[in-house]
Amino acid sequence: SSLASTLCAIMLAWGLYGMTCLGMGAWYIRCRRQTVCTAKDLAAAYWVGFATLLGILQIWHLLRPVNGWAHVILIGVGLLGFLSLLPQIASSWSGIRAVRRLFFVLLLLLLAVWIADRSIGPGTFYDAGLYHIQAVKWITRYRIIPGLANLHWRLGFTSSLHLFAALMNQGIWAGNANHLMNGFILV
């Protein structure tokens, strides 16, 4: 029961962030005056949205820490974009290919359950304790300091994925983004 609820919580969080990435991609594509019509366009919109979200997070972090405000605003904007895509998603499920797509989605769902099960375990990755957890904590508490790398070159290393982990490290998942981040990218 506890395992099932944890698996569901992880997969619901992944679904939320997936819809956010898809919605951000929809906004970006619409700004370029293009349309999202096919399943391939939807897949492209997802990855464009992920990259757009990372770019927005980089700009956000110049001004503010990536905290609950960033989470609420960016998730809200992404979900609005996702809602605007619902007619295109529904139309891509029409016809004979819908059966093949449903089979693919069911296989992906089974794979996601397995990856979610693996995500529940402890974070034993060496670099997590070395610098990942500290970087995410810093990002959620402070904005970036321009020119910090001028003091020492090691202070200039960062990863945009740490920004995304900081975004995930909010609300009920505070302090537990390690259970969401890698599995989300993998799925």
Side-chain angles (χ1 to χ4, degrees), residues 72-153:
V72 168
I73 292 170
L74 294 176
I75 298 298
V77 169
L79 289 178
L80 285 174
F82 176 77
L83 289 175
S84 71
L85 276 181
L86 284 179
Q88 287 91 343
I89 293 172
S91 70
S92 74
W93 282 87
S94 63
I96 190 82
R97 292 185 179 173
V99 174
R100 283 192 286 181
R101 287 189 182 129
L102 181 62
F103 180 71
F104 175 75
V105 167
L106 289 176
L107 282 177
L108 185 62
L109 187 63
L110 285 173
L111 180 66
V113 168
W114 181 75
I115 293 171
D117 180 58
R118 302 289 85 209
S119 297
I120 293 172
T124 58
F125 186 56
Y126 177 77
D127 283 349
L130 191 61
Y131 68 95
H132 289 203
I133 295 170
Q134 294 87 340
V136 171
K137 283 183 180 181
W138 175 272
I139 291 167
T140 57
R141 292 184 182 151
Y142 308 103
R143 69 179 185 85
I144 197 166
I145 301 170
L148 187 63
N150 293 333
L151 298 175
H152 195 281
W153 59 271

Side-chain angles (χ1 to χ4, degrees), residues 38-55:
T38 66
K40 288 182 183 179
D41 293 338
L42 286 172
Y46 175 83
W47 288 109
V48 166
F50 185 69
T52 302
L53 185 61
L54 292 179

Side-chain angles (χ1 to χ4, degrees), residues 3 10 53 126 160 162 177:
L3 174 65
I10 288 174
L53 185 61
Y126 177 77
S160 56
H162 288 140

